[in-house]
Amino acid sequence: MLLIAVAAVRISSRSGLPSLLLYLGIGVAIGQDGIFDVKFDNAELTQVIGYAALVVILAEGGLGTKWQEVRPALPAAVALSTAGVAVSVGVTAAAAHYLVGLEWRQALIIGAVVSSTDAAAVFSVLRKVPLPSRVTGVLEAESGFNDAPVLILVVAFSTAGPVDEWYLLVGKIALELAIGASIGLAAGFLGAFGLRRVALPASGLYPIAVMAIAVVAYAAGAMAHGSGFLAVYLASMVLGNSKLPHAPANRGFAEGLGWIAQIGMFVLLGLLVTPHELVDDFWPAVAVGLVLTMVARPLSVFLSLLPFRIPPREQILLSWAGLRGAVPIILATIPMVSGVEGSGRIFNIVFVLVVVYTLVQGPTLPWLARALKLGPGAPSDLGVESAPLERLRGHLLSVSIPEESRMHGVEVAELRLPAGAAVTLVVRDEKSFVPTPSTVLRRGDELLVVATDPVRDAAERRLRAVGQGGKLAGWLGTG
């Protein structure tokens, strides 16, 4: 099983497919009607494990989200995650009711379930598809934000008795988002404050501490009747942008946990489905998905982003990049646990819809970006890792120069680092040497920079500025 999972990771990374499909395929293959015919129908357990996995995936995504990219796109992402979700739910529910013949409660559940973009699918695709920073920022923030309002809608529609009035639902969504955001930001800032000032006995404890803070943020948000998912995403985003010790190691550890969570969650969802029951719901799922992809999603993007004057080409890409993944399938277990009539059919429709349209959208997204002539924005940022030197009251910065960095061709002296900071070692082609002021830096180099505590932040800002603007950074307005 481990070898199969590793092979799936390799295939997904090379093909551009979100790993969802491959892991779901593994689950289906070993589940009912599959090779081993494993019987598994515990929707409640699947839901609990799915929530736990989603917490890890959101934490990993938040740690890797760059605030400078998300900040300009934040208002658009919030609009898309709230007003856009409302438009998508309405249009998709109407299609499920009139085209497929579902009752309105079932149609609204499907509309809400599939209106959530999946963080795991979006993050995995964005790692391989270079897009403009504004588009990337909107997609990342939207996938982190929209789980909360969608979850509230699905629970409300799945509850026995009449559904609350629309204004009560809006108020409940706003309150839960506010509580979750407040707790997430507080947990992130307090956690970052503590980790910067408390020297842990081993460097390997920092990644564990970061993930623990993210999990605590989710728990606190959920216990306060707020959005735990929004809390964990915002807490992780604050931690990921707080210049913590061993930051790359923190992100690498979270990424590894994210892969484990994805593999386990997707395989379990594949086990839950019964393949022969999908046949009757295949074409209804395709019909609903077609309306969702070609009408509901573009309309939600157009209407919710009207105030932001986003160019039509970027709106087209945002419409196509609204990837669904494991989150809608997990949400589809809520009506099953609640005993909603026809919940089995709802799950089957959502499962088929997600698989079919992820298979279509994921691989074609790079082609569409090229066709729309939407390439990457600024050059790749430097990878900077900081290790505190408590007794010396200084910091050792490990700097990696990526391929597209404008630091390539810059001499060490032209870095113009602040007094109290110096490049002490360069590693090039697996060989290390002490640089001179005239040493020319190259792409792929790794630098060791020692900085005293008072100038540590200034030194990192200067390094990043040169990486973005070259040797003239500062005079050209960069840095």
Side-chain angles (χ1 to χ4, degrees):
M1 181 60 66
L2 179 60
L3 292 177
I4 295 175
V6 172
V9 172
R10 286 181 172 270
I11 294 172
S12 65
S13 63
R14 293 180 180 179
S15 65
L17 281 173
S19 54
L20 158 76
L21 299 180
L22 297 167
Y23 304 141
L24 278 178
I26 293 173
V28 172
I30 65 178
Q32 301 180 60
D33 298 344
I35 300 172
F36 300 103
D37 197 26
V38 176
K39 305 294 184 183
F40 180 80
D41 58 359
N42 194 332
E44 188 172 1
L45 176 61
T46 303
Q47 181 181 317
V48 171
I49 295 177
Y51 280 7
L54 186 57
V55 168
V56 175
I57 292 169
L58 285 172
E60 187 256 326
L63 289 172
T65 298
K66 297 179 181 178
W67 173 243
Q68 63 266 28
E69 292 183 358
V70 171
R71 182 175 57 184
L74 198 58
V78 171
L80 198 55
S81 303
T82 51
V85 164
V87 173
S88 181
V89 170
V91 174
T92 308
H97 177 70
Y98 291 110
L99 294 181
V100 181
L102 295 178
E103 297 179 357
W104 271 114
R105 181 184 292 272
Q106 299 170 348
L108 286 170
I109 291 174
I110 286 183
V113 164
V114 298
S115 293
S116 174
T117 56
D118 182 73
V122 170
F123 293 146
S124 65
V125 170
L126 290 182
R127 290 190 186 102
K128 308 174 187 67
V129 182
L131 297 176
S133 58
R134 177 165 58 180
V135 175
T136 300
V138 171
L139 289 173
E140 287 186 351
E142 180 202 7
S143 65
F145 293 163
N146 64 11
D147 292 335
V150 166
L151 177 62
I152 296 169
L153 290 176
V154 174
V155 171
F157 295 149
S158 301
T159 303
V163 179
D164 291 339
E165 298 290 343
W166 68 269
Y167 54 86
L168 294 178
L169 282 176
V170 171
K172 186 176 181 180
I173 290 173
L175 178 61
E176 292 199 15
L177 290 179
I179 294 173
S182 300
I183 291 177
L185 292 174
F189 284 116
L190 289 175
F193 179 85
L195 288 176
R196 283 199 298 263
R197 285 160 178 78
V198 177
L200 297 179
S203 60
L205 293 177
Y206 283 93
I208 297 175
V210 168
M211 290 302 298
I213 293 170
V215 173
V216 168
Y218 171 80
M223 291 178 63
H225 301 288
S227 171
F229 292 137
L230 181 59
V232 68
Y233 181 73
L234 289 179
S236 302
M237 187 166 64
V238 171
L239 291 169
N241 289 272
S242 295
K243 300 182 177 67
L244 298 180
H246 311 290
N250 298 337
R251 288 193 295 269
F253 179 76
E255 186 175 356
L257 286 183
W259 275 111
I260 294 173
Q262 288 185 56
I263 293 171
M265 177 176 60
F266 295 157
V267 171
L268 193 62
L269 290 171
L271 282 171
L272 187 62
V273 73
T274 304
H276 73 262
E277 295 179 356
L278 302 177
V279 177
D280 293 338
D281 294 316
F282 180 83
W283 291 114
V286 171
V288 173
L290 187 63
V291 174
L292 170 67
T293 306
M294 305 306 295
V295 180
R297 172 69 180 183
L299 189 61
S300 67
V301 169
F302 174 75
L303 293 178
S304 60
L305 299 185
L306 271 178
F308 304 102
R309 299 181 180 179
I310 293 181
R313 290 186 302 164
E314 294 186 12
Q315 291 193 28
I316 293 173
L317 192 62
L318 286 170
S319 300
W320 194 249
L323 301 177
R324 274 75 195 172
V327 172
I329 303 177
I330 294 171
L331 294 177
T333 63
I334 294 177
M336 298 176 70
V337 175
S338 302
V340 174
E341 183 180 356
S343 58
R345 191 182 185 199
I346 292 173
F347 182 86
N348 291 338
I349 289 176
V350 171
F351 189 93
V352 173
L353 186 155
V354 167
V355 170
V356 170
Y357 286 94
T358 302
L359 182 61
V360 172
Q361 289 175 269
T364 57
L365 187 58
W367 172 85
L368 180 62
R370 290 192 296 269
L372 294 172
K373 298 181 180 179
L374 292 174
S380 299
D381 197 8
L382 297 174
V384 181
E385 179 176 358
S386 174
L389 305 172
E390 282 84 3
R391 292 188 179 181
L392 302 179
R393 299 185 63 187
H395 294 265
L396 180 64
L397 305 181
S398 174
V399 182
S400 300
I401 304 178
E403 289 295 322
E404 300 84 0
S405 176
R406 290 177 181 167
M407 191 177 286
H408 175 76
V410 175
E411 295 183 4
V412 170
E414 293 173 329
L415 293 176
R416 293 188 288 120
L417 295 175
V423 180
T424 59
L425 195 70
V426 175
V427 180
R428 178 180 297 164
D429 298 329
E430 300 183 354
K431 296 181 180 179
S432 58
F433 60 92
V434 176
T436 66
S438 60
T439 297
V440 178
L441 302 176
R442 300 178 184 175
R443 58 178 62 93
D445 284 353
E446 294 184 15
L447 318 180
L448 292 182
V449 180
V450 175
T452 58
D453 193 62
V455 302
R456 180 248 180 270
D457 290 342
E460 182 173 344
R461 284 196 299 270
R462 178 59 192 167
L463 289 167
R464 293 189 185 278
V466 176
Q468 295 288 327
K471 66 179 70 176
L472 297 182
W475 287 301
L476 296 180
T478 306

